[in-house]
Amino acid sequence: MIAKEIKMKQPITILWDQFCEEFKPDLNFSNQGVLMSTKAEIEYVNIIALKYPNRIWTMLNCNGKSIIKSGFSILSNNGYLVCRKSFKEGDNFEVLNDDMDEDFEEFGH
């Protein structure tokens, strides 16, 4: 059997403010930010991901910069965000913000 080639769309780059306005991330369990990274929060993310996978976003550290990508990734992540609004199936978003690393408290990490 030959594996089917998966073609990913080019990433759609949006800024943090646009992401918050459009997708509306939920607060984490401590109500201190939106990044979900504790054991209980990860369990919650897994439950949501099974039913609503397009509401999950993953925060990654890429070359020393924080980046948030649409979808659930278990590799090299710093945590997850659960949004009230789903992204469309097949969309590939990257959320960027030059100030994101300085304002890391906003994520509740």
Side-chain angles (χ1 to χ4, degrees):
M1 176 179 248
I2 298 174
K4 183 178 178 184
E5 181 180 359
I6 299 172
K7 295 188 180 200
M8 293 287 291
K9 286 185 176 181
Q10 282 292 101
I12 301 165
T13 302
I14 59 175
L15 295 177
W16 173 248
D17 291 339
Q18 182 183 359
F19 166 74
C20 290
E21 180 69 28
E22 187 170 340
F23 295 101
K24 304 186 181 344
D26 289 336
L27 289 174
N28 60 21
F29 288 7
S30 66
N31 292 320
Q32 299 294 315
V34 296
L35 186 66
M36 301 206 180
S37 58
T38 67
K39 183 178 178 183
E41 290 168 339
I42 301 301
E43 288 173 5
Y44 170 74
V45 168
N46 284 317
I47 291 167
I48 297 297
L50 289 173
K51 191 165 184 177
Y52 307 105
N54 293 356
R55 288 181 51 203
I56 306 298
W57 298 68
T58 305
M59 178 182 272
L60 305 165
N61 187 327
C62 298
N63 299 321
K65 286 214 152 229
S66 295
I67 185 169
I68 298 170
K69 292 195 58 82
S70 52
F72 182 88
S73 174
I74 58 172
L75 300 176
S76 301
N77 72 69
N78 293 336
Y80 301 96
L81 293 85
V82 176
C83 292
R84 284 173 259 158
K85 184 177 175 205
S86 299
F87 55 89
K88 292 179 186 167
E89 188 69 36
D91 279 350
N92 180 17
F93 283 98
E94 289 183 353
V95 182
L96 301 176
N97 187 339
D98 291 339
D99 299 328
M100 215 158 53
D101 289 328
E102 288 98 31
D103 297 334
F104 209 56
E105 297 79 33
E106 184 172 356
F107 294 108
H109 197 288

